Amino acid sequence: MPFPIKVCAVCGEEFELKPDKPGFANRCPACSETEIAGPAKGRMDAVERKNAKEANEARRQAMRDLLYRKDS
Ligand SMILES: [Zn+2]
């Protein structure tokens, strides 16, 4: 049975999505490997995502405080 063919989100290459493929489902094995190995760019992206997430949570928390204060 053939595996589904996906296009890698990183390099644009087509690859077979095998069930036991490590890493992201939208990345070819080569790009998954570099991601798992932890290149500087990958770490940077992770930090940026973390910062964005924390900023979002802080904003949500501030909003919640505002609403809560208005209610009471
Ligand atoms: Zn790729």
Side-chain angles (χ1 to χ4, degrees), residues 20 27 39 70:
D20 60 347
R27 291 188 187 185
K70 213 188 281 174

Side-chain angles (χ1 to χ4, degrees), residues 7-15 26-32 34:
V7 176
C8 175
V10 178
C11 67
E13 292 281 332
E14 289 187 346
F15 66 97
N26 62 351
R27 291 188 187 185
C28 71
C31 290
S32 295
T34 52

